[in-house]
């Protein structure tokens, strides 16, 4: 479920939080579903439970999960978060396309990249 890259410059807690963010936004972890316990995830990944707790705290601060006293952490309704992420990504894409046009990248070149990326996504 979670793969850690020990060669990455990103801290472990950010890697873990990033993986959960992706799972939540894709719907692999639907709203209301219970997150794995800190202890079980720490054992599964063979890392310090404090690292997992730091990841969960980050996810909670960002609105991806919420705690229930004595019962664990649960996935929040992230509809608004997903929309915000999509908007940010589209804005970044627009900026990249503007920069590309300034460099002479043509629409067919962009379309070729989009077609390739979406074909690759279909095989996953």
């Amino acid at each position: 479920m979670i793969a850690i890259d020990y060669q990455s410059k990103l801290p472990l807690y950010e890697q873990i939080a990033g993986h959960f963010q992706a799972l939540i936004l894709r719907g692999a972890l639907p709203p209301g579903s219970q997150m794995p316990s800190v202890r079980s995830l720490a054992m599964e990944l063979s890392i310090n439970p404090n690292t997992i707790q730091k990841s969960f705290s980050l996810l909670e601060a960002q609105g991806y999960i919420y705690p229930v006293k004595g019962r664990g952490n649960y996935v929040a309704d992230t509809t608004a978060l997903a929309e915000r992420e999509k908007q940010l990504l589209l804005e970044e894409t627009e900026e990249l396309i503007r920069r590309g046009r300034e460099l002479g990248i043509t629409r067919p070149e962009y379309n070729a990249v989009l077609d390739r990326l979406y074909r690759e996504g279909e095989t996953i």
Side-chain angles (χ1 to χ4, degrees), residues 1-58:
M1 183 179 194
I2 301 289
I4 302 292
D5 179 3
Y6 292 99
Q7 304 302 318
S8 173
K9 293 181 182 182
L10 271 181
L12 293 178
Y13 79 94
E14 287 183 8
Q15 289 184 49
I16 294 165
H19 284 293
F20 277 113
Q21 288 168 349
L23 290 170
I24 291 168
L25 290 175
R26 277 198 322 251
L29 290 173
S33 63
Q34 188 169 15
M35 296 286 289
S37 74
V38 169
R39 188 172 298 156
S40 68
L41 192 56
M43 288 177 56
E44 180 182 322
L45 298 175
S46 299
I47 59 176
N48 191 310
N50 292 331
T51 303
I52 303 297
Q53 186 57 52
K54 193 169 183 178
S55 295
F56 282 11
S57 294
L58 179 61

Side-chain angles (χ1 to χ4, degrees), residues 117-124:
L117 289 172
Y118 275 94
R119 271 194 310 276
E120 288 173 4
E122 290 170 0
T123 61
I124 294 174

